[in-house]
Each structure stands twice: as C-alpha cells, then as structure tokens.
Amino acid sequence: EAVRQEQLKQEAERRLAVQREEEAQRAERQAAQPVQTDGSSSASQAAPAPASVASSAPPPPAPPPSKYTGVVGTAMQLLGIPYVWAGSSPSGGFDCSGFIMYVYAKHGVSLPHHAATQYTYGTPVSRSDLQAGDLVFFNGLGHNGIYIGGGQFIHSPHTGDVVKISNLNDSWYAATWVGARRL
C-alpha cells in the first residue's frame, strides 16, 4: 500500500509539473500576441479563417486555471496522515473536511469544518470541467476531497485509512458523486 501511494504521489507531482508547464506556455503565447491601441489583441481583429484553413488553427484557449492550484502541492505533502474523526491538523490527523479546511487555510482561504457547508462556498463546476484544486463531493455531501487532475483526487477517507489519492471512477465515488466547487 505504501509503495502504491508513493507511485500515486509521484504521478500526481508529474501531472502537476506538466500542468504548470502548459499554463506557462499558454501565458507566453498570450503575452506574445500584439495588442491594439483599443486593448484587444490583433488576433481578435483578424477575419475568420476559411473553413479549409480553420482545421489547422490552434484550439481555443483553455479556461483559466483554478485560483488556488497551489493547494494540490500542499495537499500532497500530507499523504499518509491518519484519518481521525473531527481532526484538522497533521499532528492530530484529519477527517475529510478538516483536511480541506487545513490545506486551504495554508493558502489564505477560510473554510468551515463541515463538508456540506464547504459545498456552499465557491461556484459549481461540472465534472467534465474539473481543474486541480477544485473540491469534489460525495455521499450526500458527507464526504469530500481535492481534485488533483487526471480523474484523481486526494482526501482523508475514513477511520483506519490515511490521506490518500483515489480515482473518481472507482465504483463507490462514481456512485455517490454529488458535485464539485471551485473556490
């Protein structure tokens, strides 16, 4: 189990590095576009490409990244900490909402220690639009975690377990999916 968690951690860190690189490349491309005196880019002033050329055009830019993508890095540092009901610290252990509350507090975001109440914060996000750092909710709002990308999330699941990475498509999580929020 420890070896599997380490492999998952390394894979998530690799994905996070790739995501950061892609974001940096997008920012470089946007910065390289000439700006007109009215503040719009010259690309927005161009006539639409003919249909035969449009297929070679780059895809539209991705939506902006979640405001707190750094939370994934903070959350990853807590892998392996035991689940403790009502826990909210690395030294005392975490329950699911205490884990999220702790991680986001490290990034200046104050959240309550209650999964269902955390669901009232931020804005709704569809499952197909999830970004690293989004909160994911399950089981009638009785459980939550932090999406890390690639269909995976990090959470503190239940007594006898530890902070770990799970897959949204695992049967229990898929069957009890409620929704997601972006802070």
Side-chain angles (χ1 to χ4, degrees):
E1 180 67 23
V3 170
R4 176 74 177 132
Q5 285 298 315
E6 184 60 30
Q7 290 172 334
L8 289 171
K9 180 180 177 181
Q10 289 173 356
E11 176 63 18
E13 288 171 346
R14 185 193 61 76
R15 281 195 202 116
L16 186 58
V18 168
Q19 179 184 12
R20 286 181 179 150
E21 178 64 25
E22 288 171 350
E23 289 172 3
Q25 289 174 353
R26 261 196 308 276
E28 287 176 16
R29 283 193 302 270
Q30 288 174 347
Q33 286 184 343
V35 177
Q36 302 292 327
T37 55
D38 67 356
S40 62
S41 71
S42 61
S44 65
Q45 302 295 319
S52 61
V53 177
S55 62
S56 64
S66 176
K67 185 176 179 182
Y68 300 106
T69 56
V71 300
V72 172
T74 302
M76 297 296 283
Q77 296 172 11
L78 303 169
L79 282 167
I81 293 179
Y83 176 95
V84 173
W85 185 82
S88 61
S89 72
S91 60
F94 292 110
D95 65 9
C96 63
S97 63
F99 171 68
I100 290 172
M101 181 180 76
Y102 177 86
V103 169
Y104 269 89
K106 292 291 185 185
H107 295 271
V109 179
S110 178
L111 293 171
H113 192 165
H114 186 246
T117 306
Q118 289 176 356
Y119 189 74
T120 66
Y121 284 65
T123 57
V125 178
S126 70
R127 189 168 166 160
S128 62
D129 290 329
L130 285 170
Q131 294 178 13
D134 290 342
L135 303 184
V136 291
F137 295 84
F138 311 91
N139 196 32
L141 300 179
H143 184 64
N144 59 353
I146 299 171
Y147 186 70
I148 63 171
Q152 297 182 316
F153 66 103
I154 187 168
H155 62 131
S156 186
H158 53 77
T159 300
D161 213 334
V162 297
V163 172
K164 68 180 186 179
I165 296 168
S166 295
N167 193 303
L168 291 175
N169 294 320
D170 287 351
S171 60
W172 190 85
Y173 301 111
T176 63
W177 171 263
V178 172
R181 308 291 286 190
R182 181 166 301 146
L183 301 178

